[in-house]
Amino acid sequence: MPRFSSSRALGLSALAIASALASPLAAQTTVDVAIVGEPDTFDPMMSTKDVVSIVTQHFVETLYTFDDSWSVVPLLAADMPQISEDGTVYTIPLREGVTFHDGSSMDSADVVASVKRWLDVATRGRSVADKVQSVEATGPHEVTITLSEAYSPLMSLLAFSNSAAAIYPEEILGDEIEQVVGTGPYKIEEHAPDQYLQLVRFDDYSQPVGGAEVREQSPDEIRFVPVPDPNTRVEGLLSGQFDFADGLPAESYDRIAESSTAEPLLLEPFGWPVFAINHKDGLLTDKTIRQAVQAALPIDDMLFAAFGDDKFFLVDGPMYPEGWAWRSEAGTENYNQNDTEKAASLLQEAGYDGTPLRILTSRQYEFHFKMAEVAKMALEAAGFNVDMMVVDWATLGQQRDDPAAWDIYITHSPFLPEPALTSLYFADSRLGWSNEEKDALMKEFTTETDPAKRQELFSEIQRVLFDDVGFIKIGGFNALQGKASDLEGVTASAWPSFWNAEIQQ
């Protein structure tokens, strides 16, 4: 039974509670999920935010997805593609009998139109668009993608739920989608902005074949509740208000572990916090000033302030952790310098005139804010004038698209199986990091198919990253989530899913 009751006053308005209770499905089996904020879109093509991916994966699907071992497997595709010997032609068979939430049937025309839109509007789609010669329907349930040259990350891009190559009915497509219509196991029933998103089971859902997880549609309803304050998410989980809570502060681990109503979920290793640097406009277009920032940052202190216990973080420079094929030590002599004098000398060399260094961050991910506080003190000690702009996560998402509005914004990323899924490496990302050597290496990296050669190339890319300060990895960290003790079928994940969730009675 759902737990949405008058106790939900924590962090929600009375109107939200009344609306939720008035729902015609409120008496059915419901899983209530506290997320870090309101998704700014339900069209996953248009966002790289994890909160968007978490929500939209339940009602919008892609041709392919990842299994538990990060292998690409079919989702809306009927099988893996046939790929030409030169790696430029992908022939993709589509599943038959797939129904959109509006009752229409998916065919190759829908897929072609959706993939073309993804190439035009999505961050990750645009990263490959200049290599795509054509996307054509070569049968009622077959699509062929032809490239101008081999592009090794293509299948990972088609499988990723973040800036996703989502498949929609052709008829609803445009620069913006007014009402999202997908094929997923759940569909949108009601949305009260900043209050809740109610999803209900889609009765005509067609299960994937060929390796993707079976999506049981166990709950009748999934309700995502934006709760910007992390401590409110913790209290709501402990009180039984929420069945699952995402993005919890590290210091809440022991309280949750000792609780009789909830359990902590530690995702280890999860990913890396990053100081994203503006190469398009402003102070940090000067490489020497970027190097001053890099030299000044006290990584140990920042991570300890953010997480408080080393079971939650690792001071580690390489872009991938131990055990990953992509791990390399190249360039890491520039990691965690914590050298105030060097930073001050670099600022003097650059002729720094006191222009404010604008750091954009949010408290909805509390560890972002705590890292920023420590960084601010260290940067000021080196001679920077720091303007820390603290906004909500939705506002940060908007402001980071304006190069005139910031110099650094703070975010994080899970470790991803394919480096090219990290858009920050590409010149056309919002960072605008363009470096002649790096760009040439990225081109070679994305066209090379030999795994050993790709590892060598990525090592060189990492070396340039540290030298040119493309962006700054702060370290590695483990993510904390929490679930109700009686919730089954949900595991720790960067993008937790709830289609197999059950509340044990």
Side-chain angles (χ1 to χ4, degrees), residues 181-418:
V181 176
T183 59
Y186 289 82
K187 61 182 181 179
I188 296 173
E189 177 72 9
E190 186 177 357
H191 175 222
D194 297 313
Q195 298 172 11
Y196 64 90
L197 172 69
Q198 179 192 30
L199 306 183
V200 297
R201 186 190 293 121
F202 177 45
D203 292 333
D204 293 326
Y205 181 64
S206 174
Q207 290 286 349
V209 294
E213 176 189 49
V214 173
R215 303 179 175 200
E216 297 285 1
Q217 300 177 279
S218 300
D220 297 297
E221 175 185 339
I222 304 167
R223 189 184 286 112
F224 292 99
V225 182
V227 184
D229 181 72
N231 295 315
T232 303
R233 294 196 294 276
V234 172
E235 297 304 327
L237 176 70
L238 293 173
S239 70
Q241 181 184 358
F242 303 123
D243 300 301
F244 187 96
D246 190 32
L248 302 182
E251 59 267 23
S252 65
Y253 182 93
D254 289 341
R255 281 192 69 205
I256 298 169
E258 293 165 2
S259 165
S260 61
T261 59
E263 299 172 5
L265 297 175
L266 193 62
L267 185 56
E268 182 181 7
F270 173 77
W272 43 286
V274 58
F275 275 33
I277 287 176
N278 187 348
H279 293 259
K280 294 181 179 180
D281 190 21
L283 188 62
L284 297 185
T285 55
D286 185 317
K287 177 180 175 179
T288 304
I289 297 181
R290 295 199 300 273
Q291 290 175 326
V293 172
Q294 183 183 58
L297 294 180
I299 299 297
D300 304 73
D301 294 341
M302 292 167 65
L303 288 170
F304 188 80
F307 300 105
D309 188 321
D310 60 10
K311 73 181 174 184
F312 294 106
F313 70 87
L314 182 65
V315 179
D316 189 47
M319 294 307 298
Y320 279 86
E322 293 282 358
W324 289 63
W326 304 112
R327 185 173 177 86
S328 167
E329 297 293 329
T332 55
E333 63 273 11
N334 291 315
Y335 175 73
N336 193 23
Q337 298 172 59
N338 191 13
D339 191 334
T340 303
E341 290 184 7
K342 179 180 177 180
S345 176
L346 287 165
L347 282 182
Q348 185 175 8
E349 178 186 334
Y352 176 62
D353 62 2
T355 299
L357 175 69
R358 298 162 299 169
I359 299 178
L360 184 61
T361 190
S362 170
R363 298 199 73 154
Q364 280 161 266
Y365 291 104
E366 186 71 6
F367 70 96
H368 291 187
F369 174 74
K370 290 179 177 179
M371 287 189 302
E373 284 189 308
V374 175
K376 180 177 186 290
M377 289 187 289
L379 290 164
E380 288 177 339
F384 279 98
N385 176 16
V386 178
D387 177 12
M388 197 159 83
M389 303 181 294
V390 184
V391 298
D392 63 74
W393 190 240
T395 301
L396 186 147
Q398 295 168 354
Q399 290 188 1
R400 68 182 181 177
D401 287 332
D402 178 5
W406 58 278
D407 297 302
I408 292 171
Y409 74 83
I410 302 177
T411 185
H412 64 268
S413 171
F415 293 112
L416 301 174
E418 163 58 58

Side-chain angles (χ1 to χ4, degrees), residues 441-460:
L441 286 166
M442 284 300 297
K443 181 176 176 60
E444 192 175 353
F445 177 72
T446 56
T447 54
E448 179 60 63
T449 57
D450 179 78
K453 290 180 181 178
R454 295 192 81 222
Q455 289 172 24
E456 292 173 6
L457 288 164
F458 183 69
S459 180
E460 285 299 295

Side-chain angles (χ1 to χ4, degrees), residues 101-118:
H101 297 158
D102 64 2
S104 63
S105 296
M106 183 191 78
D107 60 20
S108 55
D110 300 308
V111 174
V112 168
S114 296
V115 172
K116 285 183 175 179
R117 179 178 183 264
W118 175 70

Side-chain angles (χ1 to χ4, degrees), residues 456-471:
E456 292 173 6
L457 288 164
F458 183 69
S459 180
E460 285 299 295
I461 292 165
Q462 180 178 288
R463 176 186 58 76
V464 178
L465 170 67
F466 277 103
D467 175 69
D468 198 44
V469 199
F471 49 88

